[in-house]
Amino acid sequence: QVQLVESGGGLVQPGGSLRLSCAASGISVSSKTMDWYRQTPGNQRELVARMFSGGDTYYRDSVKGRFTISRDNAKNMVYLQMNSLKREDTAVYYCFCYVIGSEYWGQGTQVTVSS
């Protein structure tokens, strides 16, 4: 059974930093493509960052140079380091992976960027 549990969200001032964590069970993060999505009220979830099993990464344009996705294979964790946060980064952030035939989402963690 695949389970993804996010943590690390919170309230941060503009320009600040947060690190989100995703604890995975039932899969090995080193062998899967792992994603971070975010969603604001009334909008669809949008892909923020992706780490492919081979280690390559993808970022949406609005977070390039500010966010970094990484993983710890030994701990089976995926991270999203978010620096230089902006008000428009405020959202619920979700960890996601696709395993043949099924999508798995975490419960989400709220990130609020406000002064």
Side-chain angles (χ1 to χ4, degrees):
Q1 183 178 359
V2 178
Q3 189 173 17
L4 303 172
V5 180
E6 303 96 337
S7 61
L11 173 64
V12 62
Q13 292 186 344
S17 298
L18 281 176
R19 188 178 81 154
L20 306 183
S21 300
C22 172
S25 59
I27 59 164
S28 173
V29 299
S30 64
S31 65
K32 300 298 180 188
T33 295
M34 301 297 299
D35 296 342
W36 284 98
Y37 280 77
R38 66 187 181 189
Q39 186 174 28
T40 54
N43 295 305
Q44 291 187 334
R45 291 180 186 182
E46 61 182 23
L47 178 63
V48 176
R50 170 171 289 166
M51 175 165 274
F52 296 92
S53 57
D56 289 344
T57 57
Y58 161 85
Y59 299 93
R60 69 181 303 105
D61 286 346
S62 61
V63 308
K64 283 180 182 177
R66 300 188 298 120
F67 289 13
T68 303
I69 188 171
S70 63
R71 68 188 182 205
D72 185 326
N73 295 339
K75 294 182 178 179
N76 214 32
M77 299 278 291
V78 180
Y79 304 99
L80 185 67
Q81 178 67 43
M82 306 186 295
N83 299 328
S84 301
L85 282 161
K86 304 177 181 180
R87 288 182 175 83
E88 52 263 41
D89 295 318
T90 295
V92 179
Y93 285 72
Y94 297 90
C95 185
F96 169 86
C97 72
Y98 178 81
V99 180
I100 297 175
S102 298
E103 298 182 348
Y104 296 95
W105 295 91
Q107 82 286 355
T109 186
Q110 175 71 47
V111 172
T112 302
V113 184
S114 175
S115 55

